[in-house]
Amino acid sequence: MSRIASIPDPTLIAANERVFPLTQLREGSRARVVSTAKCCEDCDLLNAMGLTEHCELRVCQRGSTCIVQVNQTRLGLSSEVAGKILVSDVIGE
Amino acid sequence: MTAGGTSTATTVAIGGHDDPRVHAPAKCFALIGNPNTGKTTLFNRLCGLRAKTANFPGSTVEARIGTLAHHHRTLHVVDLPGMYGLHLDRPESRICKRYLEGTVDFGEVPDGILIVIDATNVQRNLVLAAQALSVGKPAVVALNMIDLADRRGIKVDDAQLSQRLGCPVVRICARSGVGVHELLQRMELAGSASPANSFPDTGDVKTITAWARDVSSACVTTDKSAETRAERTTDRVDGVLTHPIWGMGVFLLVMMALFYVIFTVASFPMDMIEYLFTKLGTGVDSLMMWTDSVTGWGMSGGAIHDLLIDGVIGGVAGTLVFLPQICLLFFLISLLEDTGYLARAAFLMDRLLRKFGLPGQAFVPLLSGHACAIPAMMSTRLIADHRDRLATILVIPFMSCSARLPVYVLLISMLFEGKPWLAGLAFVGCYALGAIAALLTAKMLRKSILKGPKPAMVLELPTYKWPSLRTALLTTYDRAMMFLRKAGTVIMCICIIMWWLGAYPKTSQPPAEAVQMREQAETIAQSDAAKADELRDEADRLEARWQKRNSFAGMLGRGVEPAIKPIGMDWQLGVGVMSSFAAREVFASTMSVLLAGSEDTEDSAVVQRIKSATRDDGSRLFTTRTAASVLVFYVLAMQCLATLAVTRRETGSWWWALLQLIYMTVVAYCASWITYVGLGWFGAT
């Protein structure tokens, strides 16, 4: 997994913390969202649906479309959107 | 203020808004909440049938307005569309924000806000709640689905929540009615004071989300083991229902069951409607004949007789006949949506439809188009994005509806007589051609006039739950009433106009051949009664053909003949095409009357006469090339004015309906021409 250069909010990332797209997470993994800014026009909607920076998510299903759980909200995302969501800190599987 | 943590099952006694006991000034509440929070279930619980749906002025965003009386006060409730935030760049968010602020006129000005919060998902729901409370109107929060939250081990301290929000919080279960009585009391007592608390900048997502997280962690406690169990179950069910193979299998089964019910169950009430209206027509006919015999007014057989029986009764029947399919489709879709399955189906189909610029939610409306385009178009309201919805509405009529079946049967039986396998393939080909045309058109629309940001799939997959029969029935009732009010009147007018074009002007002189036959029948009536009857029947057929030929529709058919000649049609087929604008299946009966003098398209003798019909120059009318060309034309043409009326209603503009008509006619014409000319190159007659 490669480190992503353009991170909108550097305060979210601790030193040596790896940041990568959501699509690289395995099924069942938990992670913290670092940025949704790359999602452009979908960013506000994602945020309003609960997928915001700092929030913790769990990957329920992955593939060309994926399902993630944020708190009690289950979201279906296209790989296009999931690929633009940057996450870090794999919390557990 | 707090509603306390206890609730009892209460039957809500609600009187009509004209209840004489009601004398306190009426109050209006805007009902707001995230999607899938049980907002509509609550609205239905409060208002039941005393509700109507209306669009916000100048937009396609709609809201339901209901009325109820509680104790001595009338309460109006405006059910706003479900949304995730008031500050989102979405039509429903923009218009609802303006409505809450009182800057858009929608009849009822809200005195207060009723906010629905899903007790199983408090944190996310708090964002919209804070945005709504910031408007500064008195508010009451309904903490819904407490039963589900209990089962999932989620405890919400409503007293604490009420304190943090600065307004009453009432624990309810809209489905069972628990807590609704108390909610109504809170709504009635809600004063003119704004919420006691101030909120952080609700327009800034980061700030408001942090606030929601803080409030949620203070008010909500979760039993992790119960939550994990529920999550695991949902994971397992999702694993099947959204699986590329198993999920698709389940989806196909569900869709097959849906359409089996729509085709089979709806056919009974549809037949009943047709039967009852035929009986009504016969009854009116008999009544007029009786009136004639008593008064000598000569009404039967006159213009008023024809207008009443063929125009008005036929028009009402032509409108009501759509109702069973509309009701069934909406009832089943509502049940599926309530279970949480429909969102999974949209998630599954998104992969396929996205390639053609359509969202996954478009699949059910497109498939419904195979039953009837009218309910299918009405069901596009599931699609949130305006461009996606418009593209879906514009391509739905390409899907072969049940009204095309009689036309396909007639033409395919001519093309492949005695070849059932080829006939079957031709049927499949017709359905496939329509579907391909729909998908390619959608792709083209999304790349041209409907070009714009394509919202990538971000879809909430709601919690699985048992569907509410009450909600499904009320949704069905609402949609049926809306169809009758808005589209039904236009459809009825169209039916009357199409009848008039086909029935007028009345020909004063019957054809000479028919006169001769009748004279001959009279001569031999005594000696050969059977032959005389045969001659009279033939004379009737000739007169019916003569009437059709000289009607306005016949004139139009002759008028368009030069334009339709390149695709193999003559004026007779032109009349068929013109008259079938009322409904596609009318083509088969028109051709039967015109070419065989009988409306019975199931009579094999009639079908044989149609097959051997000739043009004015004596050549055969239905050659292979012509039959194939007409078939392709009917697969692709927008031959249904009722559908156009619904396009106008759903898009809010005649422009889209006109574009749909012109585009589909051009596509159908070009495809028919290619078929006609192409078959000629291959040596077909």
Side-chain angles (χ1 to χ4, degrees):
Chain A
M1 285 178 282
S2 61
R3 189 185 166 89
I4 305 295
S6 56
I7 307 299
D9 189 352
T11 58
L12 289 171
I13 311 153
N16 303 322
E17 191 177 48
R18 286 191 309 171
V19 175
F20 46 88
L22 169 60
T23 41
Q24 291 184 11
L25 279 173
R26 282 195 293 176
E27 213 162 280
S29 316
R30 289 174 189 275
R32 185 169 59 90
V33 175
V34 172
S35 170
T36 56
K38 281 189 164 188
C39 297
C40 305
E41 65 270 15
D42 300 312
C43 181
D44 287 344
L45 179 64
L46 281 171
N47 290 169
M49 289 172 110
L51 204 150
T52 53
E53 288 171 3
H54 292 292
C55 80
E56 188 187 311
L57 59 78
R58 181 172 68 90
V59 178
C60 309
Q61 200 182 100
R62 61 177 300 228
S64 58
T65 47
C66 70
I67 299 176
V68 296
Q69 176 139 356
V70 185
N71 295 318
Q72 271 77 38
T73 307
R74 209 166 258 256
L75 298 175
L77 305 173
S78 64
S79 53
E80 191 189 349
V81 175
K84 290 175 185 168
I85 297 170
L86 303 180
V87 295
S88 74
D89 295 341
V90 178
I91 295 159
E93 293 181 15
Chain B
M1 263 187 304
T2 171
T6 57
S7 296
T8 51
T10 314
T11 306
V12 183
I14 299 166
H17 67 281
D18 50 356
D19 190 332
R21 292 167 301 167
V22 172
H23 47 72
K27 269 187 182 179
C28 175
F29 275 83
L31 179 59
I32 193 168
N34 281 181
N36 308 309
T37 51
K39 193 169 60 66
T40 302
T41 310
L42 176 61
F43 178 83
N44 288 334
R45 172 70 56 185
L46 293 174
C47 304
L49 292 174
R50 291 173 299 275
K52 59 176 184 180
T53 302
N55 281 36
F56 279 100
S59 87
T60 53
V61 177
E62 61 180 30
R64 292 179 75 202
I65 308 156
T67 303
L68 62 107
H70 184 66
H71 294 152
H72 300 292
R73 191 191 291 278
T74 298
L75 294 174
H76 300 294
V77 182
V78 179
D79 181 17
L80 299 175
M83 73 194 88
Y84 291 101
L86 275 179
H87 301 297
L88 289 175
D89 186 23
R90 296 194 152 219
E92 66 273 16
S93 297
R94 283 194 297 268
I95 205 129
C96 290
K97 186 167 180 278
R98 286 179 57 203
Y99 174 63
L100 292 181
E101 290 168 350
T103 55
V104 63
D105 180 26
F106 191 54
E108 304 288 346
V109 180
D111 301 297
I113 307 173
L114 175 56
I115 303 163
V116 184
I117 288 182
D118 175 1
T120 66
N121 199 350
V122 172
Q123 185 180 317
R124 193 196 69 194
N125 284 238
L126 279 172
V127 173
L128 178 67
Q131 289 170 344
L133 289 165
S134 297
V135 172
K137 287 188 188 291
V140 179
V141 167
L143 191 63
N144 195 19
M145 298 201 255
I146 45 162
D147 53 336
L148 202 62
D150 280 344
R151 281 203 296 276
R152 293 189 150 211
I154 299 166
K155 302 281 175 212
V156 184
D157 182 348
D158 46 313
Q160 172 79 353
L161 187 61
S162 173
Q163 198 179 19
R164 297 293 289 259
L165 297 178
C167 69
V169 174
V170 186
R171 296 160 68 86
I172 66 157
C173 175
R175 189 175 299 256
S176 64
V178 168
V180 173
H181 192 74
E182 192 182 343
L183 180 71
L184 280 169
Q185 281 178 329
R186 294 289 181 187
M187 286 165 70
E188 197 187 347
L189 294 171
S192 55
S194 307
N197 288 11
S198 60
F199 298 94
D201 180 7
T202 54
D204 181 54
V205 177
K206 280 183 190 170
T207 315
I208 196 70
T209 307
W211 170 85
R213 195 183 302 126
D214 176 45
V215 173
S216 175
S217 57
C219 304
V220 183
T221 51
T222 309
D223 172 1
K224 283 288 173 195
S225 62
E227 192 187 37
T228 310
R229 271 199 306 277
E231 279 178 11
R232 277 190 192 146
T233 309
T234 309
D235 277 351
R236 278 193 209 109
V237 181
D238 275 353
V240 176
L241 296 185
T242 60
H243 189 274
I245 297 165
W246 305 124
M248 196 56 84
V250 173
F251 178 75
L252 289 175
L253 280 176
V254 170
M255 287 300 128
M256 274 165 66
L258 184 85
F259 286 98
Y260 178 79
V261 171
I262 289 172
F263 272 115
T264 55
V265 178
S267 67
F268 174 70
M270 285 169 91
D271 290 347
M272 276 296 288
I273 288 169
E274 281 179 353
Y275 173 79
L276 286 174
F277 276 90
T278 308
K279 283 284 167 203
L280 182 66
T282 315
V284 172
D285 188 37
S286 305
L287 186 71
M288 283 188 159
M289 281 170 75
W290 177 80
T291 313
D292 279 355
S293 67
V294 175
T295 61
W297 288 345
M299 283 166 75
S300 59
I304 295 176
H305 168 272
D306 289 357
L307 173 70
L308 255 179
I309 294 173
D310 298 327
V312 177
I313 295 177
V316 174
T319 305
L320 290 183
V321 81
F322 291 115
L323 260 188
Q325 283 187 339
I326 288 176
C327 289
L328 265 173
L329 182 68
F330 278 103
F331 178 71
L332 295 172
I333 284 182
S334 177
L335 287 183
L336 284 176
E337 192 177 11
D338 220 7
T339 57
Y341 177 69
L342 215 52
R344 268 81 183 176
F347 174 79
L348 195 67
M349 291 312 298
D350 198 81
R351 292 168 209 164
L352 173 72
L353 290 180
R354 194 61 68 178
K355 290 176 187 151
F356 299 95
L358 293 174
Q361 292 99 322
F363 194 81
V364 172
L366 285 176
L367 206 59
S368 308
H370 283 312
C372 177
I374 290 168
M377 282 185 176
M378 290 168 74
S379 67
T380 55
R381 288 156 196 240
L382 296 166
I383 303 167
D385 183 76
H386 178 63
R387 286 189 187 87
D388 283 347
R389 182 165 175 246
L390 210 47
T392 311
I393 288 173
L394 292 176
V395 303
I396 279 175
F398 275 121
M399 309 303 281
S400 289
C401 65
S402 54
R404 281 171 168 118
L405 274 176
V407 184
Y408 291 177
V409 170
L410 181 71
L411 295 168
I412 290 175
S413 68
M414 285 181 198
L415 283 166
F416 303 105
E417 196 177 6
K419 298 169 188 163
W421 280 104
L422 285 176
L425 272 177
F427 261 104
V428 174
C430 289
Y431 277 76
L433 178 63
I436 291 166
L439 293 175
L440 293 179
T441 302
K443 195 175 175 85
M444 198 187 73
L445 284 170
R446 294 300 267 122
K447 281 184 179 289
S448 53
I449 51 170
L450 293 177
K451 194 175 182 178
K454 284 183 210 159
M457 185 180 62
V458 178
L459 192 67
E460 185 183 355
L461 305 176
T463 316
Y464 289 111
K465 54 182 184 287
W466 285 109
S468 159
L469 201 62
R470 184 189 164 93
T471 301
L473 286 171
L474 287 169
T475 304
T476 306
Y477 172 79
D478 183 53
R479 291 297 164 204
M481 287 299 114
M482 188 193 280
F483 165 75
L484 289 179
R485 269 199 311 268
K486 304 283 181 176
T489 44
V490 180
I491 293 171
M492 201 180 120
C493 289
I494 289 167
C495 287
I496 293 175
I497 291 167
M498 293 313 297
W499 155 78
W500 183 78
L501 287 174
Y504 285 88
K506 291 285 181 198
T507 49
S508 51
Q509 286 293 318
E513 208 181 339
V515 175
Q516 219 171 21
M517 279 179 181
R518 288 197 191 282
E519 284 170 2
Q520 207 180 337
E522 290 307 314
T523 316
I524 61 166
Q526 300 295 327
S527 55
D528 191 348
K531 178 75 181 163
D533 284 344
E534 226 172 84
L535 282 169
R536 282 190 204 103
D537 287 348
E538 190 56 34
D540 283 346
R541 281 196 285 272
L542 282 173
E543 281 170 8
R545 279 192 64 176
W546 185 253
Q547 172 58 41
K548 213 56 159 177
R549 181 191 170 103
N550 292 296
S551 67
F552 290 121
M555 291 175 204
L556 280 169
R558 282 199 295 275
V560 298
E561 192 174 19
I564 57 179
K565 213 171 176 181
I567 56 172
M569 295 191 196
D570 75 337
W571 71 268
Q572 299 174 98
L573 283 165
V575 175
V577 169
M578 288 292 153
S579 57
S580 65
F581 268 112
R584 290 176 179 97
E585 66 269 35
V586 173
F587 173 79
S589 56
T590 303
M591 295 322 289
S592 305
V593 171
L594 202 59
L595 305 176
S598 166
E599 279 196 30
D600 191 357
T601 52
E602 286 170 19
D603 183 343
S604 57
V606 172
V607 174
Q608 210 52 49
R609 274 201 290 271
I610 297 172
K611 281 178 187 170
S612 53
T614 56
R615 294 169 194 252
D616 286 347
D617 62 4
S619 64
R620 203 174 151 208
L621 176 60
F622 281 108
T623 59
T624 302
R625 289 168 72 195
T626 305
S629 161
V630 177
L631 183 63
V632 169
F633 184 83
Y634 269 90
V635 171
L636 301 171
M638 177 71 230
Q639 288 294 109
C640 183
L641 288 176
T643 304
L644 280 177
V646 178
T647 302
R648 184 251 169 269
R649 148 91 194 129
E650 292 299 312
T651 59
S653 156
W654 278 111
W655 149 249
W656 291 111
L658 200 65
L659 176 79
Q660 191 176 44
L661 172 67
I662 294 169
Y663 172 77
M664 288 184 69
T665 307
V666 169
V667 169
Y669 187 91
C670 293
S672 293
W673 183 80
I674 291 167
T675 308
Y676 188 72
V677 174
L679 285 174
W681 285 343
F682 285 104
T685 53

